[in-house]
Amino acid sequence: MISLKLKRQPSTSKSTMGELFINGEFFCYTLEDVEREEKIYGETAIPKGTYKVILEYSPKFKRVLPTLLDVPNFSGIRIHRGVHAGHTNGCVLVGFSKGVDEIYHSKVAEEKLVEVLLADDDIEIEVC
């Protein structure tokens, strides 16, 4: 089993930064939409919790990406590349370096994450 843990930092007015760990080891930085009590479509981070993750082909992105299953009131939540909250639409962005409300080296982080996750089909993520 591969265990992912996304540790969020407090949201700014634009985004929620965090760190992603794989089996307890730091892997990369994350960027999501702002955490909100009430969901605003395309502008709200997913609820904290533990979710099963599968790798599946995304017709939108035209590549295999990690997808979080059974996220309450959300669908199509993926982990993918991007730079700022405008690229998230509720998804989790990954990158190997960060700035204020931005992450960088995201393409490489996404590719490496998918490579690591391909090793096992039993994957879960805890978002906290």
Side-chain angles (χ1 to χ4, degrees):
M1 173 181 206
I2 296 176
S3 176
L4 304 175
K5 186 169 198 169
L6 193 166
K7 292 184 180 180
R8 289 177 172 159
Q9 299 170 359
S11 293
T12 68
S13 63
K14 296 181 181 178
S15 71
T16 303
M17 302 294 292
E19 297 178 334
L20 183 67
F21 295 80
I22 299 177
N23 296 329
E25 298 287 324
F26 175 79
F27 178 74
C28 69
Y29 298 102
T30 63
L31 187 143
E32 300 173 83
D33 285 319
V34 176
E35 285 187 277
R36 303 176 194 279
E37 290 295 317
E38 190 171 315
K39 180 181 175 185
I40 299 172
Y41 178 79
E43 297 181 20
T44 305
I46 63 172
K48 292 177 180 175
T50 302
Y51 306 103
K52 181 168 178 48
V53 177
I54 62 169
L55 291 171
E56 70 176 358
Y57 181 79
S58 165
K60 177 180 178 181
F61 294 106
K62 302 197 182 338
R63 60 187 180 271
V64 172
L65 293 172
T67 302
L68 283 65
L69 301 179
D70 302 321
V71 178
N73 301 313
F74 287 79
S75 62
I77 300 300
R78 301 186 193 280
I79 302 173
H80 62 84
R81 64 185 81 158
V83 177
H84 53 75
H87 297 149
T88 64
N89 201 26
C91 293
V92 177
L93 306 181
V94 290
F96 283 137
S97 59
K98 65 178 183 168
V100 177
D101 292 313
E102 293 186 340
I103 55 174
Y104 311 109
H105 305 106
S106 191
K107 179 179 185 229
V108 177
E110 175 197 291
E111 290 170 348
K112 181 66 176 166
L113 178 62
V114 170
E115 179 183 316
V116 169
L117 297 182
L118 283 170
D120 199 327
D121 61 359
D122 188 9
I123 309 163
E124 71 175 17
I125 186 168
E126 177 187 1
V127 180
C128 55

